[in-house]
Amino acid sequence: MANILNIVQAVNQALENEMENDPTIVVYGEDVGLEGGVFRATAGLQKKFGEKRVFDAPLAESAIVGTGVGMAINGLKPVVELQFMGFSYPAFNQIISHVARMRNRSRGRYTLPMVIRAPYGGGIRALEHHSESTEALYAHIPGLKVVIPSTPYDAKGLLIAAIRDPDPVLFLEPKRIYRAFKQEIPENAYELPIGKAKIVEEGEDLTIISWGAMVREVQKASEMVKEKGIYPEIIDLRTISPMDRESFVESVKKTGRALIVHEAPKSFGPGAEIISVINEKAFLHLEAPPTRVTGFDTTFPLPRGENHYLPSPERIAKTIEDLVKY
Amino acid sequence: MRFESVKPLEENHYRILDIDGKVINQEKLPNLTDDQLLYLYRTMLFSRTIDEKALSYQRQGRMLTYAPNLGQEATQVGSAYAMEKEDWLVPAFRELGAWLVRGVPLKNIYLYWYGNEWGSHMPEGVKVLPVSVPIGSQFQHAAGIGIANNIKGEKNVVVTYIGDGGTSHGDFHEAINFAAVFNAPVIFIIQNNQYAISTKRKSQTKSETLAQKALAYGIPGILVDGNDIFAMYSATREAIERARNGGGPTLIEAYTYRLGAHTTSDDPTLYRDDKEVEEWKEKDPVLRFKRYLLNKNLISEEWEENLKKELEEEVVSSFEAIENKSDTEIEDIFKYHFEKMPPQLEEQLREYKDFLEGGK
Ligand SMILES: Cc1ncc(C[n+]2csc(CCOP(=O)(O)OP(=O)(O)O)c2C)c(N)n1
Ligand SMILES: [Mg+2]
């Protein structure tokens, strides 16, 4: 039977495959056990691997991550779930003060092979605090990797790589496209490299860099501008930190134009870092100022306003045209 | 004193009405007029109607994710009714009954769940904080309001709510500890509805009761039958009086049950069986109070039927007043972050409007 899965199912299968391979992996978080998580990403795992390896945590994010630190030091590989990125902040102290620093401050004596998973991003008309896209906060922390897949194939391969990675990884899952589409993917475990972007579409006229649920919006915009004879090159960054700088620097050298699309707020967002790198490494190739289409510098609006906030294919397409005409 | 006689460590619920609506603790029966009793019952039914209509609108695709309060009406209506006008209410997110008692307009409540920030814009004079979704965080604000009252020499008190799941959070501990250390007039109410989404109360804490946690903070704690409106009223009233007279905070565990789903996105059949729900339906707080009022000949079935119709009409017209008229104004997304909009935001707003006006 073909293994055709959406993103949540791919996450689930990655966890299952790896738990079979590695008895030190434990999975826990709020409601991940019996219920299998509010998005069902851990469905069936407790039944298969038992309550010792898959369990419900008391409602406390700081403890979920903080105990993960202890478990990792003591030889386990915790793969913890934070129910929504908007509820990761109670754990922020543990992440910035310990998760990201342990290897460095103990000069390699203690390392933390752990994964923190969290659904993130807007577009599902969710309640307050359920649509956050604050990857920049975490990408800014030295010692922490931040990975964001945008397809089932990438979700599985990158999550397995994150679990096998000797260092802590924050794995953010774009919940807007959790069930948006399916792909046939390998049933067995496979790894995709963390820190490597992917060229989604090749093109000559400009380079668009994006990730998460925005990749699909960029693809829709790309279809719109192709009708006008504009051919974008689309790069799915896949890892926010450490960034695959070469991927977009080489592309921008070819196209001379760069557009970054992210749903996080504009100021101090990951787009700002990408533009700095482009300026540092491809300045003389630029034919137009690198440009951003992003969320606003505002709190993510409640559902009646989220359509304004999120970059739409139309807004992206319009900016592409402006950029090519520049 | 009740706080000594009802020992939190013994799972001994403070109760005034039994399941059949009979008074089993005459001495503690609150002294309420018939009008007050009818108001309480009306508010419980109002709360239930609002929930039921919201759930049906949600099924019809006319409402977004909604967290019903079904089964917890006595906990909320009873405790909030013990407050005075100048007191503060600091809710979590499942406090519909308390909001209604404290004068939050239904329009606000529906607007919030319908996805518009104006739902959190409380009318002047309504001392109720907005919904607090990050579990536990509101407890800190309640403690702060209470400490400020002491500093300012004001006599009002704070009533705040949290769920059983919320008691696991660091914020729970930190807030009660602060309030206790500074002897702040805060009533911390745990709505123990037995679940935090799918996670059972027993998986949250090894403590036999949640009320007993009070002992560690050096404050009074009491375990109350949360489906008994008189017990909730009476326990909260006593705690409020103590707080107002400088006696500091109290922790109340309201032992109740969430009859509905966690929210409309939740499927409770994944983690609990119908039998358990049926058993709790026997202890329905609205039914219990109704039996009391029927016994007292204060209400009749016919009276209730008419009241339900009237409430339903009110709910329908409130909802229809916001439906299709609640899209967020673009400026509103930008203009409330700071007193004065910084240039970056002004620029983003202008660019976005230009884009919209440019057609595409
Ligand atoms: C800090 C934080 N973590 C996780 C969540 C997601 N969440 C929403 S409600 C809930 C369970 C709350 O249970 P409880 O405190 O018992 O309140 P109840 O829902 O039963 O009223 C969870 C985990 C959240 N809102 N905030
Ligand atoms: Mg609960």
Side-chain angles (χ1 to χ4, degrees):
Chain A
M1 216 174 60
N3 188 47
I4 302 171
L5 305 183
N6 62 30
I7 291 182
V8 208
Q9 293 166 329
V11 165
N12 184 269
Q13 193 172 72
L15 292 168
E16 187 181 342
N17 287 166
E18 276 308 270
M19 290 190 79
E20 277 170 358
N21 291 340
D22 182 350
T24 66
I25 295 171
V26 289
V27 168
Y28 63 102
E30 290 151 17
D31 305 289
V32 305
L34 177 65
E35 187 189 46
V38 292
F39 288 102
R40 308 284 178 269
T42 56
L45 296 180
Q46 185 177 70
K47 209 161 173 209
K48 179 155 184 185
F49 298 104
E51 287 180 24
K52 261 204 173 130
R53 293 184 66 197
V54 182
F55 52 91
D56 289 335
L59 205 173
E61 291 75 15
S62 178
I64 289 170
V65 173
T67 57
V69 170
M71 289 192 202
I73 286 175
N74 198 14
L76 295 183
K77 277 192 187 166
V79 182
V80 302
E81 176 176 303
L82 299 179
Q83 206 159 70
F84 287 88
M85 187 178 205
F87 308 129
S88 64
Y89 316 120
F92 198 78
N93 178 41
Q94 287 293 339
I95 294 173
I96 194 166
S97 304
H98 295 296
V99 172
R101 296 166 71 113
M102 192 58 78
R103 177 187 289 276
N104 178 62
R105 58 192 282 264
S106 70
R107 287 297 184 261
R109 170 66 179 84
Y110 296 117
T111 59
L112 300 180
M114 66 184 288
V115 178
I116 302 168
R117 295 180 37 247
Y120 94 105
I124 60 161
R125 311 216 299 169
L127 297 173
E128 208 172 0
H129 304 284
H130 288 69
S131 302
E132 313 268 308
S133 189
T134 51
E135 61 271 28
L137 296 181
Y138 292 99
H140 194 64
I141 302 176
L144 184 67
K145 295 180 182 177
V146 181
V147 173
I148 302 182
S150 75
T151 65
Y153 178 75
D154 288 355
K156 180 168 175 182
L158 286 168
L159 180 54
I160 290 177
I163 295 171
R164 293 180 186 173
D165 198 287
D167 288 305
V169 178
L170 177 66
F171 192 83
L172 298 173
E173 299 163 9
K175 59 180 171 304
R176 180 185 186 179
I177 53 170
Y178 253 161
R179 297 184 165 81
F181 61 102
K182 293 190 171 189
Q183 262 181 336
E184 178 159 8
I185 66 175
E187 210 172 334
N188 293 329
Y190 61 93
E191 248 182 280
L192 294 174
I194 290 176
K196 271 265 164 273
K198 178 174 73 180
I199 296 179
V200 178
E201 256 177 56
E202 289 191 35
E204 299 296 324
D205 298 324
L206 83 162
T207 302
I208 308 179
I209 303 133
S210 194
W211 53 91
M214 283 298 116
V215 173
R216 280 166 65 82
E217 306 307 286
V218 168
Q219 285 175 291
K220 288 178 202 157
S222 169
E223 292 310 310
M224 294 160 71
V225 297
K226 274 187 212 160
E227 284 171 16
K228 302 186 174 173
I230 302 171
Y231 292 89
E233 179 143 295
I234 304 176
I235 295 180
D236 178 353
L237 203 55
R238 298 198 296 189
T239 300
I240 307 303
S241 177
M243 221 172 240
D244 181 358
R245 299 180 301 172
E246 209 181 301
S247 67
F248 58 81
V249 167
E250 288 311 309
S251 175
V252 171
K253 281 182 183 168
K254 178 176 80 175
T255 64
R257 292 176 162 84
L259 172 67
I260 296 97
V261 179
H262 62 60
E263 58 182 279
K266 185 173 193 176
S267 298
F268 308 99
E273 172 64 20
I274 295 170
I275 291 176
S276 298
V277 172
I278 291 170
N279 283 337
E280 284 162 7
K281 306 213 180 261
F283 189 72
L284 295 176
H285 300 264
L286 287 173
E287 290 168 46
T291 301
R292 290 170 280 179
V293 177
T294 67
F296 309 125
D297 289 356
T298 68
T299 301
F300 195 97
L302 290 185
R304 298 286 147 192
E306 79 176 346
N307 59 318
H308 294 300
Y309 179 94
L310 286 167
S312 62
E314 291 75 17
R315 223 166 110 197
I316 300 166
K318 169 80 170 47
T319 313
I320 294 173
E321 287 177 44
D322 292 349
L323 200 52
V324 170
K325 273 188 242 146
Y326 183 88
Chain B
M1 291 313 321
R2 183 177 324 123
F3 292 97
E4 286 148 30
S5 69
V6 179
K7 297 201 169 53
L9 282 171
E10 295 159 18
E11 285 207 29
N12 177 5
H13 297 197
Y14 177 56
R15 183 177 291 143
I16 294 171
L17 277 187
D18 71 7
I19 289 182
D20 301 320
K22 290 213 187 60
V23 177
I24 54 168
N25 188 347
Q26 193 67 43
E27 188 201 337
K28 292 294 180 187
L29 185 68
N31 192 7
L32 296 169
T33 64
D34 288 354
D35 280 350
Q36 287 179 305
L37 295 172
L38 291 178
Y39 167 81
L40 290 174
Y41 189 61
R42 184 186 197 280
T43 309
M44 287 169 90
L45 278 186
F46 193 32
S47 166
R48 190 155 282 198
T49 311
I50 293 166
D51 272 345
E52 281 167 352
K53 289 306 286 181
L55 293 175
S56 92
Y57 291 137
Q58 204 276 342
R59 278 191 297 271
Q60 297 162 22
R62 295 164 70 191
M63 176 53 99
L64 305 178
T65 311
Y66 183 83
N69 168 53
L70 300 168
Q72 299 175 224
E73 292 89 350
T75 295
Q76 300 174 16
V77 173
S79 54
Y81 195 63
M83 298 168 70
E84 298 295 338
K85 184 160 190 322
E86 68 276 13
D87 295 336
W88 285 92
L89 181 90
V90 181
F93 59 92
R94 203 191 292 286
E95 277 77 36
L96 172 59
W99 293 328
L100 295 173
V101 174
R102 301 306 299 155
V104 179
L106 175 54
K107 183 176 166 233
N108 282 68
I109 297 167
Y110 269 170
L111 254 189
Y112 179 79
W113 294 109
Y114 203 57
N116 187 305
E117 284 79 356
W118 281 103
S120 294
H121 183 83
M122 295 298 161
E124 235 6 90
V126 173
K127 292 169 83 174
V128 178
L129 261 54
V131 161
S132 183
V133 171
I135 298 291
S137 51
Q138 71 282 0
F139 257 36
Q140 314 262 25
H141 313 150
I145 292 174
I147 295 168
N149 279 343
N150 283 353
I151 294 171
K152 291 162 66 185
E154 280 175 13
K155 277 288 174 200
N156 67 73
V157 308
V158 193
V159 174
T160 187
Y161 297 86
I162 202 168
D164 45 310
T167 65
S168 298
H169 220 269
D171 284 5
F172 171 86
H173 162 73
E174 295 174 22
I176 301 178
N177 187 52
F178 258 64
V181 165
F182 296 105
N183 204 41
V186 186
I187 322 307
F188 295 101
I189 299 181
I190 304 166
Q191 294 201 68
N192 174 8
N193 63 4
Q194 314 303 331
Y195 286 92
I197 310 187
S198 72
T199 305
K200 289 192 186 347
R201 147 67 184 87
K202 292 266 182 249
S203 310
Q204 291 293 346
T205 171
K206 208 169 175 183
S207 299
E208 250 168 65
T209 72
L210 301 173
Q212 79 193 52
K213 289 176 186 274
L215 297 180
Y217 301 105
I219 64 169
I222 182 169
L223 174 55
V224 181
D225 181 340
N227 286 4
D228 174 352
I229 187 154
F230 288 148
M232 278 310 297
Y233 173 80
S234 153
T236 313
R237 185 95 195 154
E238 184 168 324
I240 286 177
E241 274 165 19
R242 203 144 33 101
R244 215 186 294 287
N245 294 317
T250 298
L251 181 66
I252 296 177
E253 173 182 359
Y255 196 89
T256 180
Y257 192 78
R258 193 191 78 214
L259 285 174
H262 170 69
T263 67
T264 46
S265 318
D266 172 48
D267 174 9
T269 61
L270 288 172
Y271 54 81
R272 68 184 190 190
D273 57 31
D274 289 346
K275 196 169 144 270
E276 180 185 298
V277 181
E278 288 309 315
E279 277 167 20
W280 274 94
K281 280 190 180 157
E282 295 294 309
K283 303 181 206 165
D284 185 323
V286 179
L287 196 60
R288 189 186 302 191
F289 193 36
K290 177 179 171 177
R291 286 174 179 149
Y292 170 80
L293 296 173
L294 282 173
N295 289 343
K296 230 175 128 70
N297 283 325
L298 256 184
I299 62 167
S300 65
E301 293 291 350
E302 195 194 341
W303 176 88
E304 188 187 87
E305 277 315 302
N306 288 333
L307 176 61
K308 278 185 174 164
K309 265 193 220 116
E310 183 195 313
L311 292 174
E312 180 158 333
E313 275 163 28
E314 189 176 340
V315 171
V316 169
S317 73
S318 296
F319 181 73
E320 285 174 356
I322 62 147
E323 196 183 21
N324 306 327
K325 289 183 211 76
S326 58
D327 279 349
T328 301
E329 303 278 339
I330 294 169
E331 279 83 0
D332 283 0
I333 295 176
F334 292 83
K335 77 181 184 200
Y336 292 100
H337 283 78
F338 301 102
E339 189 170 305
K340 191 174 173 315
M341 215 193 286
Q344 291 88 328
L345 267 183
E346 273 177 1
E347 182 185 80
Q348 288 176 21
L349 172 58
R350 198 169 51 242
E351 283 174 358
Y352 183 61
K353 281 168 111 179
D354 286 350
F355 159 73
L356 290 178
E357 278 156 23
K360 300 210 312 165

